[in-house]
Amino acid sequence: MKGLKYILIACLAPLAWACDTIDSDDRYIEMEPVNPQRAVLIEEFTGQNCTNCPDGHAAIAKLVEQYGDAVVPVCIHAGRLSDPTGFDKYQGLAIPDGEVYYKEAGSPNIPCAVIDGVGEPLLWSEWADAVRVQLAKPAPADIDVKASFSEGKINITAKILAAKDLSCRLQVWLVENGIVTYQQDHNDFRLDYVHNHVLRGVVNGVNGQEIALKNNVYADYSFAVEPQEKWNVGNMAAVVFIENADGVQQAAQAKVLID
């Protein structure tokens, strides 16, 4: 196994130049707290063979620590530094739908993220500022999500209440936390890296579904998904968001509870 590890490091070293680097002094800047008015979706593009992508993962962890459920991170493995297959017992975390989203974002250098579907992908050093801006905006709708696993299926319900008439796209994803598999971490090829918020499945189509919300009228949606064998359902969560031409209007997530 050690021989395989060093062979992989040698092969991956040239790819490291595709990752963006940030000076250590510029990595974390403390900012005044903000009172969240909404939840913010962070679409983080990353890859297991990207040397600097753990810096993006650390930035996400810091935002989650700071804002809790007011940030909804989704880690999308895609691009040439990602891996759809893995090796031996070590999973690859890229999925075809993730590649679609990555190409729609312009196939940028990673790590990067799109914040609330607004603007171009940003370097991870810019995420905190962008998240603060979005958190301060009023939300035109509330989303209540519940997810459970029973009778062999993941069942997801979303109840949406809009504060005005709103035409938008509803998107439902499944993410998984606590996946232990490999990751190139700067100069270290790690086999025990813990991956969180990983996009595992797209529930209602890669482009979601068009919906029309009415002012102060609840809209209910439900979905059922048969999990894949490699998923650990107990570590999964459902992510639901609504989006229009102005970006993501609201997002929510809920842990999958096992009945």
Side-chain angles (χ1 to χ4, degrees), residues 15-27:
L15 297 178
W17 298 103
C19 303
D20 289 310
T21 58
I22 304 295
D23 289 340
S24 59
D25 291 340
D26 296 330
R27 288 181 180 176

Side-chain angles (χ1 to χ4, degrees), residues 198-251:
V198 176
L199 179 65
R200 286 299 223 179
V202 175
V203 174
N204 61 338
V206 70
N207 294 316
Q209 63 196 79
E210 298 296 326
I211 62 172
L213 301 173
K214 296 297 183 181
N215 178 30
N216 207 34
V217 176
Y218 279 103
D220 296 295
Y221 303 91
S222 60
F223 307 89
V225 180
E226 188 171 329
Q228 295 182 18
E229 183 178 354
K230 64 181 179 180
W231 295 356
N232 182 348
V233 174
N235 286 349
M236 298 189 76
V239 170
V240 177
F241 63 94
I242 54 174
E243 183 176 24
N244 60 18
D246 296 322
V248 174
Q249 300 299 296
Q250 184 60 290

Side-chain angles (χ1 to χ4, degrees), residues 36 38-41 63-73 135 250-255:
R38 63 193 295 150
V40 174
L41 180 73
L63 288 167
V64 170
E65 179 183 2
Q66 185 172 6
Y67 296 116
D69 288 341
V71 293
V72 181
L135 284 173
Q250 184 60 290
Q253 62 183 328
K255 179 177 173 55

Side-chain angles (χ1 to χ4, degrees), residues 38 43 114-119 133-134 137-138 140 164-169 241-250:
R38 63 193 295 150
E43 297 172 78
V114 177
I115 310 299
D116 259 352
V118 178
V133 169
Q134 293 304 112
K137 294 181 178 179
K164 62 179 181 180
D165 289 353
L166 191 64
S167 294
C168 53
R169 180 173 61 89
F241 63 94
I242 54 174
E243 183 176 24
N244 60 18
D246 296 322
V248 174
Q249 300 299 296
Q250 184 60 290

